[in-house]
Amino acid sequence: MTTRDPRIETITDDLRTVYGRVQQLIVPAWLKLDLTMAQFKALVAVERSSGVGVCGLGRQLSIGESAASLLVDQLVRRGYVGRKPDPAARRRVLLGATSRGEKRLRELRQGSAEIMNEWLAELDQDELEALAHGLRALAGVVSAEKTRAADHATSENAGT
């Protein structure tokens, strides 16, 4: 078994502390959200996969088509999601977040960005540079892993 660098555990603990505090500070805004958790997940999925159909949304959320359809109906009624016909298949509908839905998600994300900006403003230039350097390196690892996962999924789908 290889010896693990003790800095990894420290970094992991520090990241957990930062993320935990961000969550504590933004929870009040999230609790005021006028959506159920299922609706919120569906809205996020639609925003991330604009142009997804109801079946695709159901697959992403690991729910049946009828449950996905119900969630979409609720989000459409609230003005968070819109439907448009698929030009390639007349009976199919494509989903997209409306400007209201995008605004709601942006508001929720904005709170954590503001908190992070305030904390980062308290660091001196050397600390900011060291953090930026480390995060760039970590982001590079994450991007490479994401690319490998996408390549793997593509090769698996090509084999079926």
Side-chain angles (χ1 to χ4, degrees), residues 7 15 30 40-41 45 49 59 71-72 81 90 148 158:
R7 293 175 294 184
L15 284 172
W30 289 71
F40 175 72
K41 287 179 178 181
S49 303
R59 279 191 301 278
L71 284 173
V72 168
V81 169
R90 290 187 348 208
R148 281 192 303 274

Side-chain angles (χ1 to χ4, degrees), residues 69-91:
S69 182
L70 178 64
L71 284 173
V72 168
D73 289 345
Q74 294 165 348
L75 290 170
V76 167
R77 275 195 304 274
R78 291 174 179 256
Y80 290 123
V81 169
R83 296 181 178 111
K84 65 180 179 184
D86 184 345
R90 290 187 348 208
R91 291 181 18 185

Side-chain angles (χ1 to χ4, degrees), residues 14-143:
D14 290 346
L15 284 172
R16 199 173 290 122
T17 298
V18 170
Y19 293 143
R21 184 62 181 141
V22 168
Q23 287 176 348
Q24 286 175 343
L25 293 171
I26 63 172
V27 161
W30 289 71
L31 291 176
K32 292 178 186 173
L33 188 61
D34 62 341
L35 298 170
T36 66
M37 183 55 75
Q39 291 167 346
F40 175 72
K41 287 179 178 181
L43 176 57
V44 169
V46 166
E47 184 214 25
R48 295 187 85 177
S49 303
S50 188
V52 69
V54 174
C55 292
L57 177 64
R59 279 191 301 278
Q60 286 184 38
L61 298 175
S62 299
I63 60 175
E65 185 178 343
S66 61
S69 182
L70 178 64
L71 284 173
V72 168
D73 289 345
Q74 294 165 348
L75 290 170
V76 167
R77 275 195 304 274
R78 291 174 179 256
Y80 290 123
V81 169
R83 296 181 178 111
K84 65 180 179 184
D86 184 345
R90 290 187 348 208
R91 291 181 18 185
R92 185 168 180 246
V93 217
L94 302 177
L95 307 172
T98 62
S99 58
R100 181 174 185 218
E102 290 171 348
K103 180 182 178 205
R104 172 64 69 184
L105 292 174
R106 197 170 39 254
E107 289 168 351
L108 293 170
R109 291 178 184 130
Q110 184 66 33
S112 58
E114 288 173 4
I115 292 165
M116 196 64 69
N117 287 339
E118 289 174 19
W119 292 339
L120 291 171
E122 293 186 31
L123 300 178
D124 66 32
Q125 289 303 310
D126 290 339
E127 291 168 328
L128 273 174
E129 184 55 39
L131 181 59
H133 178 75
L135 286 176
R136 271 192 305 271
L138 182 58
V141 170
V142 170
S143 294

Side-chain angles (χ1 to χ4, degrees), residues 152-160:
H152 180 72
T154 302
S155 66
E156 278 188 351
N157 288 339
T160 58

